[in-house]
């Protein structure tokens, strides 16, 4: 499925859509829950993002394998998290399956900074980040379920990357498109990204128009969703906007 | 019980009381938990409110009844949420029993805006709202347990309105008085509203006076709660204030 | 163990270390989880703190023992919370075992103000505080799991103080050193405080230096953790700083 | 929808199907979760059952409305649970929405006995029953999430009956068909009962045949699910059985 | 309060009452929840019991204090659990505050056997026991929330005994009367034991009589609760029984 | 690490040890939690087992990938669970990472029967099994957290096998030794199996002897753990047993 081409134009359109719009579009395609419930943006002003998923999976750490912090200096299987941070390409989204366990941090400000400097567009975990306050001041979208200072190896071991994972109860396949805004994160199955990009853009435009009506005091009936007359008004408005 | 008259003066006094003061007064009347634990204000600067409860109840949605989004355009049993938003009168509080399930949104910014424009004073759910960031910028008190973009029909069906509900573990009867501030929401059984309004006002005044003492370095003993001397000082202070 | 002397210099060094650094140091000493997962600072700008633990323990309240609010005026076993607030000395940290139950407040702004005026350096509960919004405006570090207005006796009774407790799943002995920053709270076993103070200070200095490298675009390998060359650069930098 | 006729033959076929078979059939019709996760049979030897849902809904109890046990002697709104037990007809299934709250019993052995003597076929709650050990010795299928002795009014008020409810996260409409066996309970939307009865019967027969193969050591491939040859063998076997 | 004399006759009457009857009686005295929700009897045939509470409290274990299993051979503060098992007198009930944490066992079959041989009447924890299957074959009432083999010091330290505790969310004071049957455990505040013993005995007798009516097919109205005629019939029946 | 030879003698010794003994031995080697908390044996009389772990991992299912039940007939990536059941060798233990999600079954009686007939020694999931009652009558050790009839693809997709997983919060590597008894399951890191087999056997023998003492009324002190005299008595007893 990763042979489906995702153009920058698709990513741009998805990025302009709100996560609310995207979950509605996904629901129309039969997807019930692609939103990562319980994860919050550390910096709500970091802006929206869209990018391909680069996955990293944790299992519980174990005393005999993970408790020598010196190992972090070595490359290889005992330090897959470092490998992942260096392997991920610019424009991608790092998304971590921390088994919804916030007892230790999935990463901290040092790795966040490295990711940001590399051009990675966002980092997500269904566990916790440490240095949350510092990260909340970075212009980098980071999402987590909690803010826990404890060092990762205390509870987690990075076991593989670019394998399918679950994150906050949602399946994520490498190459899926991840979109986030100040409200949270949505996972878009890769093959749906092109069609969703257009549909979401249209929905956003229409809702923007309808919002002006509701905001002006119109009742829901006839306006939201629009009846024929409202749709006609919308068509004129849309035409005026020349696009 | 809904023949008990709730005057604007009662609502004004309740609105000036903190939720902390009100739960203490309720406890004195034998009510252990009328605070909605786990719900937070989306906009902590939206101010306090007090109003009568207008209830809306959700049950889990079902594939054969709720998954055609086109139904939202029609009036009736398959779109009770729209009916509720249009039926609620100005000055009322919309309070939703979402079964403490945050997997889909109870409502979003479009319905919030409609409620605000109608003069509804607050909206509360024990589940989630979508568009939380936008709502947090509105001058409208909205409270929820989470911020989930997923569209309501994915997990919830509005099944009836103005029936007794549970919200965050607290019983809510239509006509109960709901009061909220930046700290959260408290449910006041309707028949207690008049007596609580006066008692809470008195407690607030007294605590304001006592706070100046504690803030000036007095120990708790003799001050909070006050002994006879402190009460006498309070009486003078209160008299000076001419009211 | 409380005969171990904790100097102001030790507290100052610990206070300068982040909770992330401290949990890493504790992990190196074999301590897996000394961070209080799930507790958040009410005021993230209140600054860091370090001080000795003064413990207070709650058990569930009971109708025959705790439901007469008038008792709060009396000293003694039926009002141990007031006794604790007056007994704790300046420089100490009040840390409450609320059994991770947020259904009623462990304390509110009146007691917080008294503690602050006395020179207590922080207050922590694994339950809830009431008046959370007011407390969030005080220059006083307060940490809790939730913001619940309900009055304490509705669900909690203070049963003893200065006994060993559990808080958010972590053992706390009176005299342990509690350190907090905007990210949360860590419990340091008293006998480890001196050695951790130095080690944490060194780690902080080193990470500050390494951060400049990562922030400038260096890859993790060789930099974080540092290889010999980076360590040499750090040694020069450290020497330049004259301390 | 309740004008769909449910014959005894339909109920008999559904009763012979396992809940595992029924959830598979429902999934084929697009229903993801109709099983009541977390509820267990008190008496695993009480046999299977099938019947129409008679719903009862609880909200949290409140000190001013529910704490006078004398009210249980009176008919009417303050004792809706008694009304429900007397109103339900033979052959029906009492299913209670206890808001997944096991802190007080939904009912005990006295009401269970009354239901059994009336010819009600099962009783289900997503909360708790009291007298669980006695009920486990009755020839009556009862399902609950916990065994709690505490009397119902301590935490629950029966607020209405024969309204749509949620039970263990599943929507239940009056007239839906409830089927249970030793493994648990499944909710069948009423209009699907006829078609499911036949399909489930067929699936059961086929699985019974296939089980003999697997039990005799056949691999899954070709057998479960069956390939053409296995299907042919099944056809012969089925024909031999003369039905 | 421990100067209230609890005679064997009181304990015998309480032991004959079901936990369902006792929670109803407690509710009539204003006690909402004295039942230990979530704890189950390991051996449902071990019979009922009643006895005075002997409390033991756990806090989380810590690497520097609890991880040397050799300490179990020494008396004193580092092995308070052994001290408690030897200190408790015959006829008492050991009740453990394990902070509702089942990650390690509160005790196993060796300590259970010692308690049984000493004449202790029951053992209760709101955490877990290990060797649960063996304990389930002993004629000794033991109650827990889970069955976990992990050794106690891995997560728990016994920190004091005969102090007030919370167990499964219920306050327990040393000397309170603990009563259990196959359905679970109820905590009776000591001063209420005498009055409850009589009231519960009367309720049990009455319910036994009323049960025969309901079991014979009588409706609830007029029977349960009884009207005047049923009460008269009960009076005759009671008189016949000569006691 | 899988080059460590695990002889049948090692497995036999481990199988004779209780899970309680094994967790104690693991704790002595620094492993805090290798027991699978919350999982229960469906058939407590199925006997103990020991074998090498064969792992299977689930991620959440997705509408576009998992909802065509016809796929179960095909081999390959879309039916990895069937592949796993056929790939696992006799003597191995199938252990499934179901992300602690019991909403759908990890397997049912058909797959359990196939595994049993193949000579697999046990099956474990941290989610649910369906057909739990039937499985509880098989002479096959199966462990799960719940009994849910819902078909697996409704919530789970088998995504890979023989990769490291987490199960009930414990890390499991292919080749680790899994041991279970009526009380539950423990995961033994492969390299520790030989040393644990001997140590556990010795501990079991000693505890069997000590139990006779405690059962005869001896106090804990001096007996459990044993002092020198008791150890001497044990040495004689052991010698008498000739092994």
């Amino acid at each position: 499925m990763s042979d489906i081409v995702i153009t920058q134009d698709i990513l741009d359109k998805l990025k302009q859509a709100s996560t609310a719009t995207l979950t509605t579009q996904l629901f129309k395609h039969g997807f019930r829950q692609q939103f990562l419930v319980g994860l919050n943006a550390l910096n709500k002003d970091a802006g929206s993002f869209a990018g391909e998923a680069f996955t990293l999976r944790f299992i519980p750490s174990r005393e005999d394998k993970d408790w020598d912090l010196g190992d972090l200096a070595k490359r290889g299987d005992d330090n897959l998290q470092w490998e992942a941070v260096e392997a991920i390409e610019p424009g991608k989204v790092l998304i971590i399956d921390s088994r919804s366990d916030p007892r230790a941090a999935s990463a901290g400000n040092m790795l966040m900074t490295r990711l940001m400097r590399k051009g990675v567009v966002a980092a997500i975990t269904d566990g916790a980040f440490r240095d949350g306050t510092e990260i909340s001041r970075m212009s980098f979208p980071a999402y987590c379920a909690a803010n826990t200072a404890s060092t990762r190896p205390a509870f987690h071991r990075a076991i593989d990357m670019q394998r399918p994972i679950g994150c906050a109860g949602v399946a994520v396949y490498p190459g899926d498109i991840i979109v986030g805004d100040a409200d949270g994160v949505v996972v878009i199955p890769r093959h749906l990204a092109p069609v969703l990009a257009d549909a979401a853009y249209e929905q956003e435009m229409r809702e923007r128009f309808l919002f002006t009506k509701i905001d002006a005091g119109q009742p829901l009936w006839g306006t939201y969703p629009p009846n024929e007359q409202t749709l006609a008004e919308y068509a004129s408005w849309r035409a005026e906007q020349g696009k």
Side-chain angles (χ1 to χ4, degrees), chain A:
Chain A
M1 199 132 47
S2 57
D3 53 351
I4 292 162
V5 178
I6 305 296
T7 63
Q8 190 59 42
D9 178 60
I10 290 171
L11 292 178
D12 287 348
K13 277 186 176 155
L14 290 172
K15 187 173 158 177
Q16 287 170 54
S18 71
T19 50
T21 293
L22 291 169
T23 56
T24 298
Q25 291 297 328
L26 283 160
F27 188 64
K28 288 184 179 173
H29 282 80
F31 290 79
R32 193 173 194 176
Q33 185 66 291
Q34 297 292 116
F35 184 82
L36 305 185
V37 178
L39 306 198
N40 294 301
L42 281 172
N43 178 1
K44 281 184 177 291
D45 298 321
S48 298
F49 72 89
E52 289 186 30
F54 182 102
T55 66
L56 179 61
R57 179 168 73 100
F58 288 179
I59 62 167
S61 67
R62 207 161 76 179
E63 289 82 345
D64 60 337
K65 289 190 178 276
D66 302 288
W67 286 30
D68 176 5
L69 295 184
D71 281 352
L72 297 180
K74 294 183 213 140
R75 299 197 59 149
D77 279 359
D78 285 335
N79 194 3
L80 255 180
Q81 191 170 33
W82 262 234
E83 297 284 358
V85 168
E86 292 299 333
I88 186 173
E89 301 94 353
K92 295 282 177 75
V93 174
L94 180 66
I95 183 161
I96 301 173
D97 176 345
S98 180
R99 306 176 65 76
S100 296
D101 181 348
R103 287 179 300 168
S106 297
N109 72 325
M110 206 74 94
L111 268 59
M112 286 299 117
T113 301
R114 175 65 184 143
L115 290 167
M116 181 175 66
R117 291 298 172 226
K118 285 187 64 166
V120 166
V121 299
I124 300 158
T125 180
D126 61 1
F129 286 130
R130 69 200 312 203
D131 309 313
T133 308
E134 281 183 59
I135 297 171
S136 74
R137 293 185 192 120
M138 289 166 54
S139 294
F140 182 69
Y143 298 77
C144 55
N147 189 15
T148 303
S150 305
T151 186
R152 180 183 50 74
F155 289 96
H156 304 303
R157 175 185 179 85
I159 199 70
D160 49 35
M161 53 174 133
Q162 289 294 62
R163 297 279 311 137
I165 60 170
C167 185
V170 175
V172 184
Y173 289 79
D176 279 350
I177 305 306
I178 314 294
V179 184
D181 60 14
D183 289 334
V185 177
V186 65
V187 176
I188 300 174
R190 187 180 179 87
H191 64 287
L192 286 177
V195 62
L196 245 71
D198 289 329
Y201 182 79
E202 284 307 311
Q203 184 183 334
E204 284 285 332
M205 290 302 284
R206 200 164 78 173
E207 298 220 342
R208 202 172 302 167
F209 172 77
L210 298 180
F211 182 79
T212 62
K213 296 261 173 189
I214 297 294
D215 197 37
Q218 293 273 24
L220 298 172
W221 305 119
T223 310
Y224 183 72
N227 58 13
E228 289 193 19
Q229 186 193 328
T230 309
L231 282 173
E233 290 179 43
Y234 170 60
S236 318
W237 178 84
R238 196 81 162 76
E240 278 169 36
Q241 310 236 326
K243 187 194 159 185

